[in-house]
Amino acid sequence: MRRLLFLSLLFLHSSLFIQKAAGQRADYHIIPLPKEMKVDSTQVFVLRDGMGIAYDSNHAETTRIARFLQTWVSEATGIHLQLTPSDKKAPIQLVLAQPAKKGKKAKMPEEPLSEQQQEAYTITVHKSGITLSALQPVGLFRAAQTLRKSLPIRTTPNPSRQGEGLLFPYAQIQDEPRFSYRGVLLDCGRHFFPVEFIKQFLDAMALHGCNQFHWHLTEDQGWRFEVKALPRLAVEGSVREKTVIGPGNMHIYDNIPYGGYYTQDDCREIVRYAAERYINVVPEIDMPGHMMSALHVFPNLGCTGGPYPVATNWGVMRDVLCGGNPETLEFLKTVFGELCDVFPSKFIHIGGDECPKERWQKCGKCQARIQELGLTSEPKVKVDGDDGRGSQDGRSAENKLQTYLNHEIEQFLASRGRSLIGWDEILAGGLTEDAIVMSWRGTKGGIAAAKQKHRVIMSPNVYAYIDHPQLKDYSKQPRTTDSYQVSCSKIYSFEPVVPDELTAEQQENILGVQANLWTEQVAYPEHAFYQLLPRLASMSEVQWCRPDQKDFNNFKARLPQLEKLYDKLGYIYCHQVE
Ligand code: ACM
Ligand code: ZN
């Protein structure tokens, strides 16, 4: 708080100073707020058209980052910088620094950098220019984004100011994210979003410092991932014959067929585009529930044999993959095998949520497999969320059968060098050895998993579900999942390591935080951006900032500058912040 006051005074001071100097002035009202920042507003470096950006042109990544920075400066301000590789005198320097050398006597092996340290960077604004420095290219990319967000946005070209420079107060900024996993989910199952839109979404994520794109690729309402060994799966499973209108309880349909899927080439294109922005793509194939689209194509994989339509309404479906049919595992291994071929991510999401067990309880194959595996029901333990949702019936034999499937997939993924993530329902039948839990029904699942020494990603619906309304007055916004409000301030208030519940050691198991954009009610790119922004700004401070840095009023005061950039980029966003 004291630091914020100090910074505010500096900003005030610098705004007095600016009246003496010509040109628009950069400031450091950045979201997410950097970890440390010292600003001397009494002195400025003036950035002018035609100045150079120096970088190591033998290094492809640094070259790309220099180009990004050049584009961003020109887009925001109209100032065109030259790319001047290896020019030691260029005012803007991108420097890949060497790690500090320890004394010769130090015999200890060098500690590997943590993932957060790999993303760390420094920006120094001084007499002769601006130096961006980091140990890894990803750090340089983050630094370039921070510099981008410091720029004054030129909203209208003003010929009389064309020759003016941009004034950068002297500054020393040091930054490093709090969490290594900083995700956003986009549900492309309920509605399909074109590749070009996914790229815009990734750009917006990168602007906010996010590094994990959780791509929800399959749903009851549509299978969106091409599996070459099963060509009918995406072709037929991606199309539903109609879509329910509104929340769904009126059972009124539009009677318009709806479909779309991503070819493996599309997916590779997205992986490449994301990687250039230091975003990993975490693909999700949701199993064994949320599988109506696959059951439609392969009814033999369901307990009843079908027929099954690709779902046309929302909710949790009773029909799921049969847990006792050996063909189910064969199918899953084919799908996850191709998924691993296409997505290099170390994390693969297997879903696991909302899988009712009523079909399994009555299915001969499921019950035979339960017998064969010797699975027995234990007294009911409620494993539901702290949001009043969820109704898992604890350690039932059927939930253990789901754990058995998870175990098989975990082994399969491990043989490809990958780790499994599942929604918190995977706790119900007992966690598999290496499972990472994504806690969505509140934080209880995450807390339980962290206590069991499992890695956790927090994504509790009451704080992180951005399909929910952001404003209290529902009439002021497009229709969304209409239950509770998930406002910017609600998101901002989330403390992911729940210190009241977890010891310091257990808190280390919390890898990070994720915002989820489900799309039952979100069919168009513009609406998706409205749901995303500016709530992603709020989430980005949960992902990057330490608790003592966070102050919602201060965040709100910094937001207008970011919104000017949203405007410049043509982003649709909610203009009111609650
Ligand atoms: C979920 O929202 N069903 C993970
Ligand atoms: Zn079955």
Side-chain angles (χ1 to χ4, degrees):
M1 206 41 225
R2 240 186 308 145
R3 199 160 73 78
L4 290 174
L5 189 65
F6 172 67
L7 288 172
S8 316
L9 288 174
L10 279 178
F11 290 139
L12 189 67
H13 190 274
S14 57
S15 56
L16 294 176
F17 171 79
I18 180 58
Q19 289 165 9
K20 294 187 217 145
Q24 280 184 286
R25 181 176 168 280
D27 68 34
Y28 308 109
H29 288 164
I30 302 152
I31 292 174
L33 188 67
K35 191 174 173 191
E36 282 172 30
M37 194 156 48
K38 287 192 198 111
V39 181
D40 173 2
S41 302
T42 62
Q43 311 195 65
V44 290
F45 162 73
V46 184
L47 184 76
R48 296 189 189 284
D49 207 58
M51 283 182 165
I53 307 177
Y55 55 96
D56 178 356
S57 57
N58 295 317
H59 197 285
E61 285 182 72
T62 323
T63 305
R64 191 166 55 230
I65 294 162
R67 291 211 179 102
F68 275 136
L69 186 57
Q70 182 191 40
T71 307
W72 294 336
V73 171
S74 136
E75 180 180 71
T77 68
I79 283 189
H80 185 74
L81 301 175
Q82 309 284 341
L83 294 177
T84 52
S86 311
D87 175 3
K88 293 252 171 344
K89 295 218 173 90
I92 302 201
Q93 297 280 335
L94 300 186
V95 181
L96 263 187
Q98 298 296 320
K101 289 232 163 53
K102 300 245 173 79
K104 271 191 189 152
K105 280 189 205 133
K107 290 238 166 58
M108 296 288 284
E110 298 262 314
E111 290 255 325
L113 295 176
S114 69
E115 287 180 49
Q116 290 93 320
Q117 285 167 334
Q118 290 176 38
E119 295 193 66
Y121 66 87
T122 306
I123 299 177
T124 314
V125 182
H126 48 91
K127 191 167 74 184
S128 44
I130 304 175
T131 304
L132 288 69
S133 155
L135 292 174
Q136 304 279 339
V138 57
L140 276 186
F141 181 79
R142 304 274 175 245
Q145 287 280 14
T146 289
L147 190 61
R148 175 192 196 187
K149 287 182 270 189
S150 310
L151 295 165
I153 308 294
R154 201 163 273 178
T155 44
T156 46
N158 181 344
S160 70
R161 303 186 70 168
Q162 222 52 263
E164 284 178 356
L166 296 179
L167 313 184
F168 279 83
Y170 284 12
Q172 175 83 23
I173 297 173
Q174 262 175 328
D175 202 7
E176 178 183 313
R178 180 179 181 201
F179 293 105
S180 65
Y181 187 109
R182 305 181 304 277
V184 185
L185 171 146
L186 181 65
D187 168 12
C188 292
R190 272 52 175 261
H191 283 101
F192 174 81
F193 291 86
V195 168
E196 280 316 303
F197 172 75
I198 306 283
K199 290 181 178 175
Q200 288 167 9
F201 195 85
L202 290 165
D203 285 335
M205 283 180 62
L207 177 68
H208 293 83
C210 305
N211 68 345
Q212 305 288 335
F213 173 51
H214 176 169
W215 201 3
H216 188 77
L217 280 166
T218 62
E219 256 310 331
D220 293 309
Q221 297 81 7
W223 185 281
R224 312 277 175 228
F225 173 63
E226 177 190 30
V227 178
K228 289 192 189 286
L230 305 168
R232 289 179 49 224
L233 184 53
V235 173
E236 295 170 31
S238 63
V239 182
R240 57 178 179 258
E241 64 172 355
K242 56 188 180 181
T243 304
V244 74
I245 292 171
N249 46 12
M250 303 287 284
H251 297 282
I252 301 169
Y253 293 86
D254 63 4
N255 295 323
I256 304 170
Y258 183 93
Y261 67 89
Y262 304 99
T263 65
Q264 293 196 358
D265 283 346
D266 290 338
C267 296
R268 288 198 169 92
E269 171 70 7
I270 290 298
V271 167
R272 184 196 59 74
Y273 191 88
E276 287 179 353
R277 286 147 186 82
Y278 298 93
I279 295 172
N280 173 54
V281 183
V282 182
E284 178 185 354
I285 300 290
D286 199 347
M287 59 128 274
H290 290 284
M291 272 281 172
M292 290 292 283
S293 55
L295 291 177
H296 172 68
V297 186
F298 301 117
N300 57 309
L301 298 180
C303 294
T304 62
Y308 307 101
V310 177
T312 55
N313 54 351
W314 318 124
V316 177
M317 312 289 153
R318 264 180 304 188
D319 286 299
V320 302
L321 291 179
C322 174
N325 184 348
E327 290 172 37
T328 293
L329 271 175
E330 248 175 72
F331 165 79
L332 289 173
K333 287 179 186 175
T334 303
V335 170
F336 281 105
E338 292 199 21
L339 200 72
C340 288
D341 293 342
V342 173
F343 293 96
S345 173
K346 66 181 173 179
F347 304 123
I348 301 287
H349 207 300
I350 65 149
D353 59 321
E354 298 177 321
C355 178
K357 300 296 180 325
E358 58 183 277
R359 297 291 194 226
W360 289 13
Q361 281 161 354
K362 297 198 179 98
C363 167
K365 286 192 198 124
C366 286
Q367 290 305 315
R369 178 55 61 92
I370 282 170
Q371 291 283 317
E372 187 191 320
L373 296 168
L375 306 178
T376 52
S377 288
E378 290 169 43
K380 285 191 178 184
V381 187
K382 275 212 143 217
V383 201
D384 50 8
D386 49 5
D387 61 333
R389 246 186 105 132
S391 56
Q392 291 293 317
D393 54 352
R395 293 270 160 111
S396 66
E398 287 76 19
N399 281 341
K400 291 181 182 176
L401 181 58
Q402 184 171 347
T403 293
Y404 163 77
L405 291 178
N406 294 346
H407 176 77
E408 290 292 309
I409 300 303
E410 180 171 282
Q411 298 288 306
F412 178 80
L413 293 176
S415 74
R416 300 292 203 95
R418 318 302 177 90
S419 293
L420 164 164
I421 305 181
W423 298 110
D424 58 62
E425 284 92 333
I426 63 169
L427 278 149
L431 287 178
T432 52
E433 212 178 11
D434 189 38
I436 302 167
V437 171
M438 191 168 268
S439 192
W440 74 277
R441 294 172 304 163
T443 52
K444 277 190 183 155
I447 291 166
K451 286 185 174 164
Q452 293 174 40
K453 298 194 166 69
H454 281 260
R455 290 173 288 169
V456 169
I457 296 150
M458 287 294 191
S459 192
N461 44 9
V462 286
Y463 295 101
Y465 270 37
I466 56 173
D467 54 321
H468 282 256
Q470 45 193 327
L471 303 177
K472 199 164 181 186
D473 183 348
Y474 290 7
S475 68
K476 286 195 185 155
Q477 58 205 309
R479 192 192 56 239
T480 50
T481 307
D482 56 351
S483 50
Y484 49 84
Q485 180 192 11
V486 178
S487 62
C488 269
S489 58
K490 180 77 184 179
I491 295 172
Y492 202 85
S493 69
F494 182 49
E495 175 41 52
V497 302
V498 276
D500 294 346
E501 305 260 5
L502 297 175
T503 64
E505 197 182 338
Q506 290 163 346
Q507 289 174 26
E508 293 292 312
N509 296 326
I510 312 293
L511 297 184
V513 198
Q514 179 172 289
N516 293 343
L517 181 46
W518 300 102
T519 62
E520 286 93 335
Q521 307 299 334
V522 181
Y524 301 103
E526 294 81 0
H527 189 178
F529 261 75
Y530 178 91
Q531 295 299 120
L532 187 69
L533 302 176
R535 287 188 286 191
L536 189 56
S538 193
M539 177 53 89
S540 77
E541 297 225 335
V542 180
Q543 295 176 331
W544 274 78
C545 299
R546 278 82 192 148
D548 67 339
Q549 287 181 280
K550 284 172 64 192
D551 176 318
F552 187 64
N553 287 330
N554 183 281
F555 164 81
K556 269 210 306 197
R558 281 178 282 121
L559 191 57
Q561 172 158 328
L562 185 59
E563 289 179 336
K564 279 190 202 145
L565 186 52
Y566 292 169
D567 288 332
K568 192 85 196 172
L569 296 168
Y571 289 173
I572 306 288
Y573 61 97
C574 177
H575 286 247
Q576 201 172 323
V577 172
E578 291 182 350

